[in-house]
Each structure stands twice: as structure tokens, then as C-alpha cells.
Amino acid sequence: MADFTEDQIIRYSRHIVLPQVGGKGQKKIRESKVLLIGAGGLGSPAGYYLAAAGVGRLGIVDQDEVDLSNLQRQILHRTADIGRPKTHSARDRIIELNPDVEVVPYQTSLTSDNVMEIIEDYDLVVNGCDNFPTRYLLNDACVLADKTIVDGSIFVFEGQATVFKPHVGPCYRCLYPEPPPPGMVPSCQEAGVLGVLPGIIGSIQAMEALKLILEIGEPLIGRLLLYDALATEFRILKIRRDPDCPVCGDNPTITELIDYEEFCGLRPARC
Amino acid sequence: MLTDRDRERYSRQILMDRLGEEGQERLKSSTVGVFGCGGLGTITSLYFAAAGVGRLVLVDSQKPDLSNLNRQVLHWEKDVTEGVSKAESAKYKLSNFNRDIVVEAHTAMVTEDNIEEFFGETDMVVDCLDNFESRLLLNRFCIETGRPMVYAAVHGFYGQLTSIIPGKTPCLRCIFPESPPPEPFFPIIGVTPGVLGLLEATETIKNIVGLPGTLRGELLIVDLLSYEMGKVKTGFDNQCSVCGKWRK
Ligand SMILES: [Zn+2]
Ligand SMILES: [Zn+2]
């Protein structure tokens, strides 16, 4: 613990006394670099708890500005932040909470041109961006660069979380090899959602990231956690790597990044 | 009545068939007590403010210290330096987060004699405490005044949660006839109260809006290391010193 200040030892003392963490674990947390994709409903609680835990560097990718209708679930942003870039208000909030964390904002969308360069500097990617183009692009990039994704998604009352660790467990394409053709996506209208649901899934994503950093517990590699907020039920489904997967399979056919079009064409990709 | 601003602000949840404008109005007209502004209370109150619960009553006797900051996301380093109380610190952040709601802060030791002053006007109270003595005080108050409460407790990577509805479900004393020994410096990772606090907020919102599937007579056990989550049925204790006579 020699290289932690006295204040830092007090700040993280409740972790340090856990046998699964200890001084060594806290050092691993401090040396970790985590990239958050999206400072929205999932990224907000994940960002808060990763920062509170003391991760060394937190990168935040988001292209949007804060809108009034975001505030029902995106707790990194306040009323006064409306109209500001989300990565800026996220950075301000995280630094207020824990100035030890180095926050790197990327106020941009992910594209085949920038994704490899952005993920390169990070150990882990926490994906809070639930749209097809970003999901496929990020998945392929992380398989090619051998980066683990902690994935989360929500729909109305249901949430899911899993970990895609390349070549150890399945990737997103093992489950869904190709995006659906544009005409098959029924509607791109934003669906209703209770703010607490992305709250729970985003917090679980932070937990998974910490478990991977600390190498403790049973992370969700090859397992899909399902949460039904209406029934208050958690279930686990086993998911497998597909040897014929076009990107992580034994004979991959995808060796370059693909920019998929946003299907509905009405609005840009959103987190 | 919802304003146009409310309709815009809460549009994503009003869109839900099971919530709608009616559910949003119920949230707006409700008063929720948050007893404890620590790891559980900071996150529940943040999501209550986000969801548009009209009035929040925050009660805590303490000031934040550095060792709280690994999990109590509404308290920051400057609050520790300035010596602001937890209830006031939370109120300040919540009011900035959502100016359309009313937040009341009480920095006080709650006793049998004064508990009515704080929670007497609430529709529900959320137990965000870290000691069993205060929990029992809240449990008795809620049973005697017919107020629903949501209970959660956390330790390390584990937590548990249930709803207590007076007359309908066992009370906290039925579930825990013996008080666990106090543990002032318990180990905890921040995400654990995060998840449990969010589950408490979900329970509360479901109770207010009238959604099904709340944890009535069931204790949810959460293990964030393995995700072995289970529900345990809770039973009435006929000898219960708190809720026994109220059920007769
Ligand atoms: Zn694959
Ligand atoms: Zn009882």
C-alpha cells in the first residue's frame, strides 16, 4: 500500500478490507483503464461506480448533447447540462466524485476510422450503446484487437448483461451473425423505459468490469444474465462460442471493419 | 397535473403502457421517505428524483467521511472537507439534478418520539440504513401507521431485499426475530449498494404505480460474485411483538 496516500487508503478502505480486493486488488483497480461507450442510461451508473471504485482511467465515448428527456435515467447529467456535450457533463460529474480518476472524453460516434485507435488504450470496454451499427462495429473491433466487452442492453422491463471475451467465450456475432435487413426492424421509435432498469444493468456492468479487473468471482463469460424488472427475477442462460462465427470463429470471414447504416435513417445512433 | 415540461422530461416512461400519464401523475403526487443517505440512500434518491417522485424526505444524522466515497455517489470530496451533513449534501445534488421536485433534508437522530415528525407525511419509506436498531424503529413505525416500506441490506458482494406491507406481509421483526450484531466497519464494494438501492427504487416505484411482481412475503437474495439469486418465502411470526397485535 506504500504508493497510496493516506487519504486514498481511507477512501478505498471498505474495498481493501474485502479478502477479494485487498491492497493488491485496489492497485489493480487503479492501474485499470476502462472505456465507456455511451454516457447514457447504462453508462451513467457504470461511470459513477467505476469512478467511485477508483479506476485509473475512464474513457467516455458519446456523440450526443444532453436533452431534457434523457434526465429520467441518465444520472451523470443535471438540468443545467441540457445542450452540453454528454462527455463533458459526464467528465465534470466524475471528477467531482473522484478527482483521482483520469477522464478522457471522446465527443464522437464510433466509426471504422476511429474505433481501433480509441480502444487501443484500454483494457476493457463497457458497452452502453444499444444500436446495431455500434454493436457490430465494436464487437468486430474488439475481437480483432483482443479486447473484452462488458455488454448490457434493455428493453421496456427486461435487461441483459454479458461479457464477450474474444476466443474464450462467444462474441456478439456468435449470437447474431448479421444485422437484420433494414426493412425487418419493426420500428426505430424510442421505446418506453423505466429509468431504474438501465440503472441496474449499468451497475451490473460496472460489477463485471471490476470482477474482470480483480480476477474474482464468476464473470458473465459465456453466460447471459437476464433481469425481468416486472417479475423481479434474475436468470442465467448459457451461451456458446460458435466455431463458424464470421469474426471469432475458426475460419473468420470478417477481417476488416464494416460501417453499417443506421436502419431507421431518422435519427443518429443513440446510447 | 402534469405540465408540458413533465411530459417531455418523463416522456420515455410515460410511453410505457403500464405506466402512462396516470402512473407519472401518481409518482408526482407521492412523497417518499429515504431513511439513510449512504450507499443505498444516495442511489435510490437519485433515481427517485430522475423518475419524478414529487417530494423526497431525506433523513440522516451523519456527515460524510472519506471512507464513504467508494459507494455514496452523492457525496464528494468537497463535502467531506466542508463538513456538510449527508442529508444536506444529497439535497443539494438532487435539487440541481431535478429542479421540478421538492427535496426536504433533515439532519437528525431519529427516535421513537420524533419519527412521526419526519415520516408522518410520507406515502412510503425506504430503509437505506446500516444498523438494525434504526431498522426496527422504522419497521414499528410503518406497521403502526399502516405505511409500506422497502427493506434492503448489503455486505461485501451480497445483499437482500423485500417489501413490507402492513397487515399483508410479515414485518422485519417476523423475518429477523434476533437482531444481527452491529458491525460499524463492514466491508463493501460500491456497486453492491448500487444494485440493491436500484432494486429498492424499483420496488418503491412499482408499489406507487401499482405494478405487479413486488417482493411481498419474499426475500430476494443477491450475490454479485456468482449471480446465484434466489427468493426465500418469509413467514408471519404469530408471537411477533411488532405486527402480531395489529393483525388480530
Ligand atoms: Zn463470435
Ligand atoms: Zn411481525
Side-chain angles (χ1 to χ4, degrees):
Chain A
M1 299 301 299
D3 40 0
F4 281 98
T5 66
E6 213 166 294
D7 274 2
Q8 284 168 335
I9 293 171
I10 300 171
R11 179 188 269 267
Y12 305 117
S13 55
R14 297 296 189 100
H15 294 159
I16 293 171
V17 292
L18 278 165
Q20 294 91 340
V21 184
K24 253 191 197 157
Q26 193 58 48
K27 221 174 144 204
K28 282 188 193 168
I29 297 175
R30 186 178 66 186
E31 282 162 6
S32 69
K33 292 172 266 179
V34 181
L35 182 66
L36 275 183
I37 312 293
L42 296 165
S44 284
Y48 265 109
Y49 284 110
L50 288 170
V55 298
R57 186 198 290 167
L58 205 50
I60 305 173
V61 183
D62 202 305
Q63 63 179 330
D64 280 345
E65 275 104 49
V66 180
D67 182 84
L68 179 62
S69 68
N70 298 151
L71 303 183
Q72 157 263 10
R73 64 196 181 287
Q74 303 187 6
I75 55 167
L76 277 174
H77 319 295
R78 302 177 300 197
T79 308
D81 295 316
I82 292 169
R84 292 182 71 204
K86 280 189 185 172
T87 57
H88 294 186
S89 55
R91 177 196 54 202
D92 293 354
R93 209 72 351 90
I94 284 168
I95 288 172
E96 280 170 328
L97 180 70
N98 190 351
D100 293 348
V101 181
E102 180 200 350
V103 183
V104 185
Y106 303 89
Q107 185 69 28
T108 172
S109 59
L110 279 186
T111 66
S112 57
D113 289 332
N114 66 14
V115 64
M116 292 309 266
E117 202 184 320
I118 293 174
I119 64 175
E120 194 180 28
D121 291 335
Y122 295 88
D123 309 316
L124 259 183
V125 178
V126 173
N127 183 26
C129 202
D130 198 7
N131 67 69
F132 287 115
T134 306
R135 243 166 214 275
Y136 282 95
L137 180 70
L138 187 66
N139 180 71
D140 296 353
C142 286
V143 172
L144 296 175
D146 197 22
K147 303 278 180 187
T148 301
I149 302 177
V150 181
D151 196 64
S153 64
I154 48 153
F155 186 74
V156 195
F157 283 105
E158 306 224 356
Q160 308 187 341
T162 189
V163 173
F164 297 127
K165 190 173 169 69
H167 306 293
V168 176
C171 79
Y172 187 67
R173 276 194 200 268
C174 291
L175 310 178
Y176 308 101
E178 290 293 327
M184 294 297 287
V185 181
S187 163
C188 284
Q189 268 244 287
E190 287 183 323
V193 66
L194 214 49
V196 281
L197 177 61
I200 289 174
I201 299 299
S203 303
I204 284 173
Q205 286 179 275
M207 184 77 255
E208 285 308 291
L210 291 170
K211 279 157 72 176
L212 291 164
I213 292 164
L214 293 165
E215 300 171 277
I216 58 163
E218 298 163 53
L220 294 167
I221 301 169
R223 299 194 300 158
L224 181 68
L225 179 72
L226 303 170
Y227 166 61
D228 176 348
L230 213 49
T232 319
E233 255 164 17
F234 291 90
R235 282 188 304 138
I236 294 266
L237 283 184
K238 281 215 162 33
I239 48 174
R240 276 178 226 288
R241 179 175 161 258
D242 178 2
D244 297 325
C245 171
V247 65
C248 82
D250 299 336
N251 299 295
T253 52
I254 296 171
T255 51
E256 273 177 25
L257 298 173
I258 307 163
D259 282 310
Y260 290 102
E261 291 290 312
E262 179 61 29
F263 300 122
C264 40
L266 289 170
R267 48 190 325 160
R270 247 146 229 279
C271 299
Chain B
M1 277 292 287
L2 298 181
T3 62
D4 286 347
R5 189 177 155 82
D6 291 336
R7 284 193 188 90
E8 159 103 37
R9 179 170 199 128
Y10 310 114
S11 55
R12 288 294 293 275
Q13 61 201 47
I14 292 172
L15 262 175
M16 303 177 77
D17 292 339
R18 304 192 80 132
L19 198 113
E21 289 218 2
E22 203 192 320
Q24 192 61 48
E25 274 179 28
R26 281 194 199 172
L27 289 174
K28 187 176 183 176
S29 59
S30 64
T31 301
V32 173
V34 177
F35 193 1
C37 298
L40 292 167
T42 49
I43 196 77
T44 51
S45 58
L46 195 44
Y47 277 87
F48 286 144
V53 170
R55 187 162 156 235
L56 292 174
V57 179
L58 313 176
V59 184
D60 197 304
S61 64
Q62 294 180 316
K63 289 178 181 177
D65 71 59
L66 261 185
S67 75
N68 298 149
L69 305 189
N70 80 325
R71 63 194 186 284
Q72 305 188 4
V73 293
L74 287 179
H75 311 311
W76 303 331
E77 228 166 83
K78 74 169 178 57
D79 303 310
V80 176
T81 322
E82 290 168 13
V84 191
S85 75
K86 286 189 182 180
E88 289 295 340
S89 151
K91 178 187 168 171
Y92 179 77
K93 301 348 178 303
L94 295 171
S95 308
N96 269 319
F97 180 71
N98 187 349
R99 294 169 191 161
D100 301 336
I101 59 162
V102 179
V103 186
E104 254 177 57
H106 301 279
T107 305
M109 282 296 291
V110 178
T111 65
E112 213 174 315
D113 297 328
N114 67 11
I115 189 166
E116 173 85 37
E117 281 171 44
F118 306 115
F119 299 118
E121 287 178 17
T122 58
D123 299 303
M124 270 188 87
V125 185
V126 190
D127 166 1
C128 295
L129 293 154
D130 60 359
N131 72 87
F132 215 75
E133 216 185 310
S134 305
R135 289 202 154 102
L136 284 179
L137 183 65
L138 178 65
N139 177 62
R140 182 178 289 276
F141 172 74
C142 286
I143 295 295
E144 289 178 358
T145 57
R147 241 181 209 94
M149 76 175 250
V150 178
Y151 153 83
V154 288
H155 194 279
F157 298 89
Y158 312 102
Q160 46 183 239
L161 171 89
T162 192
S163 277
I164 293 168
I165 316 290
K168 294 193 177 136
T169 71
C171 81
L172 210 55
R173 187 81 282 184
C174 295
I175 305 172
F176 303 103
E178 310 263 330
S179 303
E183 192 182 1
F185 195 84
F186 58 96
I188 189 89
I189 194 129
V191 190
T192 310
V195 173
L196 270 294
L198 276 151
L199 288 169
E200 283 193 295
T202 311
E203 268 306 278
T204 309
I205 289 169
K206 284 166 74 178
N207 271 302
I208 293 170
V209 175
L211 291 173
T214 49
L215 294 162
R216 299 182 178 206
E218 286 179 315
L219 188 70
L220 178 74
I221 312 285
V222 174
D223 173 350
L224 294 173
L225 281 180
S226 69
Y227 297 114
E228 275 169 28
M229 316 284 214
K231 286 183 190 172
V232 180
K233 284 230 175 317
T234 60
F236 283 109
D237 174 358
N238 286 326
Q239 311 297 316
C240 177
S241 58
V242 179
C243 74
K245 68 174 177 195
W246 294 90
R247 278 184 280 126
K248 272 166 204 156

